[in-house]
Amino acid sequence: QVRLVESGGGSVQPGGSLRLSCVVSGSASEINNLGWYRQAPGEQRELVAYISRGGGTNYADSVKGRFIVARDNAKAVFLEMNSLKFEDTAVYYCYANGLTIGDTFYPMTSWGQGTQVTVSS
C-alpha cells in the first residue's frame, strides 16, 4: 500500500501560479501512473493531468498549456499551475495507479486527502 499527502494549495488571484506537491510513501517500488484530479463544488471529480512511469503525460483540455505535471519516480508527483482562472477553483487530489510491491503488481488506485485551490480576486 501507499500513502499520498498533498501540499501547496491555497488562494491566488487570477493569472497567478501555484505548485502542488504530493509525496508518496509506502512499499511500492514502481507506480504506473501518478496524477491529479479535481472536484469543484457541485461538480463531478475530473482528471486534470497524469504522467506515466515512462514520462508520457496527458492533460485535460481546460488546462493544456497552463499546467505541467511532473514526477520523481515513485516518490512524488507535482502540478505546476500557471495562468490560473476562476474555474480552476477546486479540491485537487493526487492519485497513484498501478502499484508494484515486491514482485506483485496491483492494479489499484490510491488517493490523497485533497488540497484546496481557490482562485479569486
Side-chain angles (χ1 to χ4, degrees):
Q1 288 206 1
V2 296
R3 179 171 181 248
L4 294 87
V5 179
E6 301 102 333
S7 62
S11 295
V12 64
Q13 292 185 339
S17 298
L18 281 175
R19 185 174 189 259
L20 304 184
S21 299
C22 175
V23 175
V24 183
S25 61
S27 50
S29 58
E30 294 178 349
I31 299 175
N32 280 8
N33 295 323
L34 285 166
W36 297 87
Y37 273 73
R38 67 185 180 187
Q39 188 167 19
E43 301 290 333
Q44 289 189 334
R45 192 174 293 193
E46 63 171 354
L47 177 67
V48 177
Y50 72 85
I51 180 168
S52 70
R53 195 171 66 185
T57 57
N58 187 286
Y59 295 92
D61 287 343
S62 59
V63 307
K64 282 181 181 177
R66 300 189 298 122
F67 290 12
I68 300 172
V69 63
R71 66 186 285 172
D72 178 10
N73 293 323
K75 299 178 181 178
V77 60
F78 310 96
L79 187 67
E80 184 76 30
M81 304 187 294
N82 301 305
S83 301
L84 282 161
K85 304 176 180 180
F86 293 118
E87 52 263 42
D88 293 319
T89 295
V91 178
Y92 284 70
Y93 300 89
C94 67
Y95 76 97
N97 174 258
L99 314 179
T100 299
I101 300 174
D103 295 327
T104 304
F105 175 76
Y106 297 90
M108 60 180 290
T109 300
S110 295
W111 295 89
Q113 82 288 351
T115 186
Q116 177 71 47
V117 171
T118 302
V119 184
S120 67
S121 55

